[in-house]
Amino acid sequence: MEKDCIFCDIINGKMGTKFLYENDTLVVFKDINPVAPVHLLIVPRKHIRSINDLEQEDKKIVSEMIMAGKDMAKKQGVTKSGYKLIFNVEKGGGQIIFHLHLHLIGGWR
Ligand code: 5GP
Ligand code: ZN
């Protein structure tokens, strides 16, 4: 757990955030400022700053995040209509929270 990291606080239950799914590797919760009808964040329990900081040992985490994205898309009913899975990387890439997360965005009509 990293000091002054809002996603570490959320993962540790300090913010009372509801998880739509969780397992030993990751948690899934709704984005507080959704840009589409479905906007979830898939967040590893391990504090990793960004995609740039991934190590070989994190391979399983990343693959689980993508699989969770697929599974959550199905649960949210957007599999057929389609969706985006997005990693923003560092400031120029639009990242504002420096704890790795995958956006699941979809549900447009
Ligand atoms: P980034 O731009 O870093 O890829 O995305 C961070 C996302 O986290 C943003 O879409 C933002 O709305 C969301 N976010 C920031 N703070 C909170 C929070 O306290 N709770 C939740 N649920 N989402 C947050
Ligand atoms: Zn963190």
Side-chain angles (χ1 to χ4, degrees):
M1 185 188 160
E2 186 91 349
K3 210 169 143 266
D4 299 329
C5 171
I6 188 148
F7 281 6
C8 281
D9 285 347
I10 286 173
I11 289 160
N12 287 296
K14 286 191 191 163
M15 316 293 284
T17 306
K18 188 183 161 216
F19 298 147
L20 280 70
Y21 176 76
E22 63 177 309
N23 64 22
D24 289 347
T25 306
L26 56 84
V27 304
V28 179
F29 52 88
K30 285 187 179 167
D31 195 293
I32 205 169
N33 188 19
V35 299
V38 174
H39 189 170
L40 305 184
L41 299 173
I42 297 147
V43 186
R45 291 185 185 276
K46 179 178 176 184
H47 181 91
I48 299 167
R49 178 184 164 94
S50 84
I51 284 282
N52 286 343
D53 301 275
L54 288 172
E55 309 272 6
Q56 283 296 323
E57 66 184 30
D58 300 321
K59 274 183 175 173
K60 188 164 173 284
I61 294 175
V62 179
S63 62
E64 280 195 40
M65 288 172 75
I66 295 169
M67 292 303 277
K70 183 198 79 165
D71 293 342
M72 294 308 297
K74 189 166 187 194
K75 283 188 187 152
Q76 297 287 314
V78 298
T79 295
K80 287 231 168 67
S81 58
Y83 54 94
K84 296 175 197 258
L85 291 174
I86 297 174
F87 285 105
N88 293 328
V89 185
E90 293 296 334
K91 291 191 180 74
Q95 188 175 5
I96 53 168
I97 305 285
F98 295 98
H99 177 131
L100 187 67
H101 53 279
L102 178 61
H103 293 258
L104 165 61
I105 303 171
W108 304 277
R109 297 195 59 195

